[in-house]
Amino acid sequence: SNSLWLCNFINKGKTSVSIPLTKPTVAAGALTFGNESFAEILAIGVQDEDKKGSFGICNVNESSARLTDTMSTSRPVQCVARPPVQSPLSRHFVFSCSEEKLYFYDTSYHGSKKTTTVAINSDRLIRHSNKQGVGHNIHDCSFSPNGLLLQSCGEDNTVVVHDVRNFSQPL
């Protein structure tokens, strides 16, 4: 099987991490380390030749890198964001696969449902430029410094700002 090298840490030539995918892959599309409360965790999003993807979690330190979890996605991972330590989502990674939803990966949950999703709809918002027939299809997201707001920008040329304590209505 083919592998994508997620991390290639040069430490006496011994440490690397790979994630197996069924098709040859292109380079990682998005990655970020965790915040101060989980700085040893690296989240990486990738895509394969068929435009499907994978999201991987690695534990990383100066001497080792170990893949601890992976999940397949129906589309390539476009962005990965981590909230600041004071955010209500401080132990999560947020990622998107160019869809009208955000995925929340909980690093502290040890059960079978580590990932939840939130649908993002920008239909009722005023846009700078309206691209008819195109959904929000998120390409980037990031948190405010206090971790209470999350922005997503998408293919519809819209930036949507959310209060992370209540995703039912964008601001």
Side-chain angles (χ1 to χ4, degrees), residues 122-131 134 156-158:
S122 62
D123 287 346
R124 295 188 317 266
L125 299 177
I126 298 170
R127 294 181 178 85
H128 171 66
S129 171
N130 191 359
K131 293 177 78 174
V134 175
D156 60 354
N157 293 334
T158 302

Side-chain angles (χ1 to χ4, degrees), residues 32-102:
T32 188
F33 275 101
N35 60 36
E36 295 86 351
S37 68
F38 63 121
E40 73 288 352
I41 297 179
L42 177 64
I44 303 172
V46 297
Q47 83 174 45
D48 66 18
E49 278 186 337
D50 296 327
K51 302 292 185 207
K52 293 185 179 178
S54 187
F55 180 74
I57 297 290
C58 302
N59 278 3
V60 179
N61 61 39
E62 295 82 15
S63 61
S64 69
R66 181 175 54 88
L67 183 68
T68 59
D69 196 12
T70 184
M71 63 178 279
S72 295
T73 58
S74 60
R75 299 176 79 174
V77 177
Q78 292 289 321
C79 63
V80 179
R82 61 145 177 88
V85 71
Q86 66 270 26
S87 173
L89 298 174
S90 66
R91 298 290 299 178
H92 291 72
F93 285 105
V94 178
F95 66 98
S96 178
C97 301
S98 191
E99 300 169 297
E100 290 186 298
K101 59 184 163 185
L102 290 168

Side-chain angles (χ1 to χ4, degrees), residues 8-29:
N8 192 8
F9 291 90
I10 307 300
N11 182 9
K12 300 178 184 171
K14 296 179 185 175
T15 306
S16 63
V17 174
S18 64
I19 182 171
L21 293 173
T22 57
K23 298 276 186 182
T25 59
V26 297

